[in-house]
């Protein structure tokens, strides 16, 4: 008909085209895509033939089907933090599901969230073993998962839809290979192109030899160009294959449910991890928590898992005697240093423009600052934990001195250095550098020893670790309050305000507060035993100096100390003037050192 008249062509098209059957829209967009690909192709109606030109009519199949594909096995991994407790299962689902069934339902729902199939399947059809699980019950589990493990479900759904579309297109291509498929990756295309070019080159050389051409093949320049092009294509192919391998590995990890994509989607991370952008603008997964757990585990004194296992490593005598002997030797050395110390001449000093008091306090603050900053470096944690902390269950003798200079928390460090900056200069001016340093070190060592005995023989915690300069500062504070004659305190705010205070009474009040805190507040993290040890050393040193006629011998440096250089009265304590004088000394020393 179309050959007889042009208008018959349109009629033939209308007769040959079968109108598609209108069906109810599927609830899922993926199912709608599958139904669209599976709809029957347009078929032509058979024309009635005359007896003269009778031909056999073959009816095409009405519903061509996609070749059956092997059943895919879906591996559902565990939840990111392992199985959920029975109490949590009952709080989420009530008594409708057993703990085992509740955990399996949560695993299936979390797998659908991470794989993206939740947008396609929803919370229904959880499997034959869970046909009794209602939709409302499954929605409760989904709500709990979204609150506990938040992920980007929209992005996962988009990737699921893309994978399903590629799978359907690939199956259709298997049914009809002549059609063009988008599943053809660039690596395979480059490889086929290289193989085709190599076959053409071999065939061309064979044809040239048969024809007797003198110049067989291409020139050296052309071969070099082809070699470079081949290397470039191989590099592109290798990069494409590596990218495909990474994508397959990421898909396999995502299918387990233990991993989620980072915000940019370039990497994988576990739920709860964080990301950051490096200096090159690339997204990186933060390993801070993993590194902290690693070095925290390496910082343990031993590998014992229980208290009984830890105590079996050493006896009571092995824990007490070494540190006791070391502290006794330390106290004797501090006594000799305080008794026989003589100030060096300015020519032998490192900073001759600084007063001995300022140099001593700055040296102590600098030592404590270095150790406090070292605690910020995680690879140093095992070393610092072994030598700069005191653990009564596994002590080392030298820890009695080294832990006095160690602070892990900045709040603890700032509080101790603030007290050292207030009491330290006044006490050092009062008794001199020798007695001050001897009291400071011996108070810290004796405080650690008292804490060791209290933990092993008393009611202290034998597994807790202690550190800090509190015991040493208590020792010099007791020494100052029991020896000073100052009874007036100058306040910088309000201006030129002075108040009366009694050092011995103030010291007694502080001691009573410490005793009350140790008795009433049993859950505090303060090492009260070491504080009492430091107080004991300060009281003993003050009593010894008074018994030796300290006021007549004038062992201190009140006449040449920081307070005297600041112009304050001997009976008045001026903290602001001391601080200003110390800052002035440091500036002068730096200025002269720079010149």
């Amino acid at each position: 008909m179309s050959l007889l008249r042009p208008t018959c062509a349109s009629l033939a098209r209308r007769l040959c085209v079968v109108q598609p059957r209108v069906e109810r829209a599927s609830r899922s967009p993926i199912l709608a895509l599958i139904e669209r690909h599976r709809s029957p192709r347009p078929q032509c109606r058979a024309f009635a033939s005359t007896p003269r030109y009778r031909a056999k009519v073959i009816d095409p199949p009405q519903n061509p089907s996609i070749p059956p594909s092997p059943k895919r096995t879906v591996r559902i991994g565990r939840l990111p933090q392992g199985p959920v407790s029975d109490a949590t299962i009952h709080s989420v689902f009530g008594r409708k599901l057993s703990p085992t069934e509740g955990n399996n339902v949560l695993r299936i729902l979390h797998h659908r969230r991470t794989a993206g199939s939740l947008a396609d399947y929803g919370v229904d059809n959880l499997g034959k073993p869970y046909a009794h699980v209602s939709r409302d019950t499954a929605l409760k589990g989904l709500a709990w998962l979204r609150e506990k493990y938040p992920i980007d479900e929209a992005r996962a759904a988009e990737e699921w839809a893309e994978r399903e579309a590629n799978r359907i297109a690939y199956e259709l291509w298997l049914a009809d290979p002549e059609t063009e498929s988008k599943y053809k990756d660039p690596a395979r295309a480059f490889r086929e192109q290289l193989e085709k070019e190599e076959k053409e080159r071999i065939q061309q050389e064979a044809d040239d030899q048969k024809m007797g051409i003198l110049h067989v093949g291409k020139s050296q320049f052309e071969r070099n160009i082809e070699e470079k092009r081949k290397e470039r294509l191989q590099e592109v192919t290798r990069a494409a294959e590596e990218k495909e391998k990474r994508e397959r590995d990421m898909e396999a990890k995502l299918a387990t449910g233990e991993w989620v994509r980072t915000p940019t989607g370039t990497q994988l991370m576990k739920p709860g991890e964080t990301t950051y952008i490096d200096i090159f603008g690339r997204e990186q997964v933060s390993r801070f928590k993993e590194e902290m757990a690693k070095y925290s585990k390496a910082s343990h004194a031993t590998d014992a898992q229980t208290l009984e296992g830890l105590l079996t490593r050493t006896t009571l005598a092995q824990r007490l005697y070494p540190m006791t002997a070391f502290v006794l030797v330390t106290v004797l050395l501090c006594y000799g240093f305080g008794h026989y110390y003589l100030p060096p001449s300015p020519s032998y000093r490192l900073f001759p423009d600084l007063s001995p008091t300022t140099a001593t306090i700055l040296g102590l603050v600098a030592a404590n600052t270095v150790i406090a900053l070292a605690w910020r470096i995680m690879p140093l944690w095992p070393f610092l934990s072994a030598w700069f902390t005191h653990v009564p269950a596994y002590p080392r003798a030298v820890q009695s001195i080294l832990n006095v200079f160690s602070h892990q928390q900045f709040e603890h460090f700032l509080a101790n250095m603030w007290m050292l900056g207030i009491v330290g200069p006044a006490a050092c001016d009062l008794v001199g550098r020798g007695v001050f340093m001897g009291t400071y070190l011996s108070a810290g060592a004796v405080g650690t020893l008292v804490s060791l005995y209290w933990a092993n023989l008393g009611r202290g915690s034998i597994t807790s670790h202690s550190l800090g300069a509190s015991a040493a500062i208590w020792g010099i504070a007791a020494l100052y309050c029991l020896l000073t004659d100052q009874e007036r305190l100058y306040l910088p705010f309000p201006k030129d305000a002075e108040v009366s205070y009694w050092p011995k009474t103030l010291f007694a009040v502080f001691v009573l507060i410490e005793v009350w805190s140790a008795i009433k507040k049993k859950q505090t993290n303060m090492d009260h035993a070491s504080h009492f040890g430091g107080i004991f050393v300060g009281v003993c040193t003050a009593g010894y100096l008074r018994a030796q006629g300290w006021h007549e011998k004038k062992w201190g440096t009140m006449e040449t100390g920081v307070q005297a250089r600041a112009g304050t009265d001997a009976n008045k304590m001026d903290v602001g003037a001391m601080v200003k004088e110390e800052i002035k000394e440091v500036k002068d020393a730096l200025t002269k050192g720079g010149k």
Side-chain angles (χ1 to χ4, degrees):
M1 294 172 65
S2 60
L3 294 176
L4 296 177
R5 292 185 63 181
T7 56
C8 294
S10 59
L11 177 60
R13 283 194 296 270
R14 288 195 299 269
L15 292 175
C16 293
V17 175
V18 177
Q19 297 298 328
R21 183 176 51 187
V22 179
E23 297 180 355
R24 182 176 57 88
S26 178
R27 178 173 55 84
S28 172
I30 304 302
L31 297 179
L33 179 62
I34 297 174
E35 292 295 335
R36 186 173 70 251
H37 282 286
R38 290 185 175 179
S39 60
R41 298 183 180 180
Q43 305 295 336
C44 293
R45 300 176 182 175
F47 289 96
S49 57
T50 59
R52 183 178 179 181
Y53 297 100
R54 186 179 301 274
K56 184 178 180 181
V57 178
I58 300 177
D59 294 331
Q62 296 298 324
N63 294 314
S65 60
I66 298 175
S69 58
K71 184 178 181 180
R72 293 179 296 170
T73 302
V74 179
R75 179 176 177 268
I76 299 178
R78 63 185 185 89
L79 293 174
Q81 296 182 357
V84 182
S85 62
D86 298 353
T88 305
I89 293 296
H90 291 325
S91 64
V92 175
F93 299 108
R95 299 292 177 175
K96 298 180 180 180
L97 298 179
S98 64
T100 303
E101 293 177 340
N103 275 284
N104 291 336
V105 169
L106 291 178
R107 287 174 54 217
I108 295 172
L109 294 176
H110 187 65
H111 171 76
R112 290 185 179 181
R113 295 175 64 227
T114 55
S117 59
L118 184 64
D120 193 4
Y121 299 114
V123 297
D124 301 322
N125 301 325
L126 298 179
K128 292 182 179 179
Y130 312 105
H132 62 284
V133 179
S134 63
R135 182 180 180 85
D136 295 337
T137 304
L139 287 176
K140 293 180 181 178
L142 180 61
W144 182 85
L145 288 172
R146 286 174 173 172
E147 180 181 358
K148 183 70 174 178
Y149 308 112
I151 62 173
D152 192 352
E153 296 183 5
R155 183 182 181 87
E158 293 177 0
E159 296 175 353
W160 165 266
E162 184 177 356
R163 290 195 301 268
E164 287 296 303
N166 291 336
R167 182 181 63 82
I168 295 171
Y170 182 61
E171 293 179 354
L172 292 175
W173 179 80
L174 291 177
D176 191 2
E178 295 182 359
T179 60
E180 187 65 23
S181 174
K182 296 181 180 180
Y183 195 75
K184 198 171 187 180
D185 58 283
R188 192 178 297 107
F190 289 144
R191 193 182 301 110
E192 293 176 357
Q193 184 178 358
L194 290 176
E195 294 176 356
K196 181 179 179 181
E197 292 179 354
E198 185 66 21
K199 291 181 180 179
E200 291 178 355
R201 185 184 64 80
I202 296 175
Q203 184 64 31
Q204 184 66 28
E205 291 180 356
D207 294 342
D208 292 342
Q209 291 179 358
K210 289 180 181 180
M211 296 176 63
I213 299 178
L214 296 178
H215 180 71
V216 180
K218 300 179 181 180
S219 65
Q220 184 64 34
F221 176 76
E222 293 174 337
R223 287 197 295 269
N224 290 339
I225 295 298
E226 289 184 354
E227 187 67 25
K228 294 293 183 183
R229 182 170 179 268
K230 182 179 179 181
E231 292 177 358
R232 185 171 65 255
L233 292 177
Q234 289 177 350
E235 180 65 24
V236 173
T237 303
R238 184 189 63 81
E241 290 176 347
E242 291 180 354
K243 182 178 180 181
E244 290 180 356
K245 183 178 181 300
R246 287 195 301 268
E247 289 294 333
R248 288 194 299 268
D249 295 341
M250 291 174 66
E251 294 296 336
K253 289 183 177 180
L254 285 174
T256 61
E258 299 180 5
W259 299 82
V260 295
R261 288 189 180 272
T262 56
T264 60
T266 58
Q267 300 185 57
L268 296 181
M269 65 179 184
K270 291 187 176 181
E273 291 184 340
T274 57
T275 59
Y276 65 94
I277 304 299
D278 59 11
I279 58 176
F280 301 102
R282 297 174 298 188
E283 185 182 41
Q284 302 291 343
V285 179
S286 176
R287 306 295 180 186
F288 181 78
K289 293 183 179 179
E290 289 80 355
E291 294 294 321
M292 180 179 291
K294 170 185 173 183
Y295 289 110
S296 296
K297 184 178 180 180
S299 300
H300 294 167
T302 62
D303 55 354
Q305 302 296 328
T306 60
L307 177 60
E308 292 74 12
L310 180 62
L311 295 179
T312 55
R313 304 296 177 90
T314 56
T315 62
L316 181 62
Q318 290 175 341
R319 293 193 295 270
L320 298 181
Y321 290 163
M323 183 175 288
T324 303
F326 182 85
V327 170
L328 289 177
V329 173
T330 301
V331 171
L332 291 176
L333 293 177
C334 290
Y335 168 79
F337 181 79
H339 190 77
Y340 298 104
Y341 173 80
L342 293 176
S345 66
S347 60
Y348 289 98
R349 295 183 60 196
L350 186 61
F351 300 100
D353 297 320
L354 292 178
S355 65
T357 298
T358 303
T360 302
I361 301 302
L362 289 181
L364 291 175
V365 173
N368 283 272
T369 303
V370 170
I371 303 302
L373 294 177
W375 278 107
R376 304 299 105 187
I377 305 175
M378 286 189 288
L380 296 180
W381 285 3
F383 173 77
L384 295 175
S385 299
W387 301 103
F388 286 84
T389 61
H390 169 234
V391 182
Y394 202 84
R396 291 182 173 91
V398 73
Q399 293 174 349
S400 59
I401 291 294
L402 296 181
N403 85 92
V404 178
F405 299 91
S406 180
H407 298 82
Q408 284 184 340
Q409 299 176 352
F410 275 121
E411 297 83 358
H412 188 202
F413 168 75
L414 293 176
N416 282 343
M417 293 303 102
W418 180 72
M419 288 299 301
L420 179 62
I422 292 178
V423 184
C428 192
D429 280 350
L430 185 64
V431 298
R433 175 186 282 180
V435 178
F436 176 83
M437 288 301 302
T439 306
Y440 187 90
L441 294 178
S442 59
V446 172
T448 304
L449 184 64
V450 172
S451 177
L452 175 67
Y453 273 82
W454 176 249
N456 284 273
L457 302 179
R459 298 182 179 180
S461 176
I462 198 172
T463 57
S464 62
H465 68 280
S466 61
L467 68 167
S470 303
I473 295 175
W474 267 110
I476 62 173
L479 177 66
Y480 169 75
C481 291
L482 296 178
L483 291 181
T484 184
D485 293 331
Q486 295 175 338
E487 297 180 352
R488 304 288 295 176
L489 180 63
Y490 177 80
L491 300 177
F493 303 102
K495 186 176 181 181
D496 299 333
E498 294 184 9
V499 295
S500 299
Y501 81 105
W502 298 270
K504 297 178 180 60
T505 304
L506 183 64
F507 172 69
V509 171
F510 284 158
V511 172
L512 291 177
I513 293 175
E514 184 71 20
V515 173
W516 178 82
S517 177
I519 295 175
K520 296 298 181 180
K521 300 181 180 179
K522 296 182 179 180
Q523 301 299 327
T524 181
N525 57 356
M526 298 178 62
D527 190 1
H528 297 285
S530 65
H531 294 177
F532 292 132
I535 294 172
F536 173 77
V537 172
V539 172
C540 292
T541 305
Y544 173 79
L545 291 178
R546 284 190 175 276
Q548 295 295 321
W550 172 80
H551 284 85
E552 291 77 11
K553 295 181 180 180
K554 299 294 182 182
W555 288 2
T557 57
M558 290 294 294
E559 294 80 6
T560 59
V562 174
Q563 298 184 76
R565 298 174 66 175
T568 59
D569 190 2
N571 296 327
K572 181 177 64 176
M573 182 179 181
D574 191 347
V575 179
M578 285 192 301
V579 173
K580 291 180 181 179
E581 181 61 27
E582 290 174 347
I583 294 175
K584 181 177 178 299
E585 290 180 5
V586 174
K587 288 183 178 179
D588 294 342
L590 295 177
T591 303
K592 293 181 179 180
K595 294 179 180 179

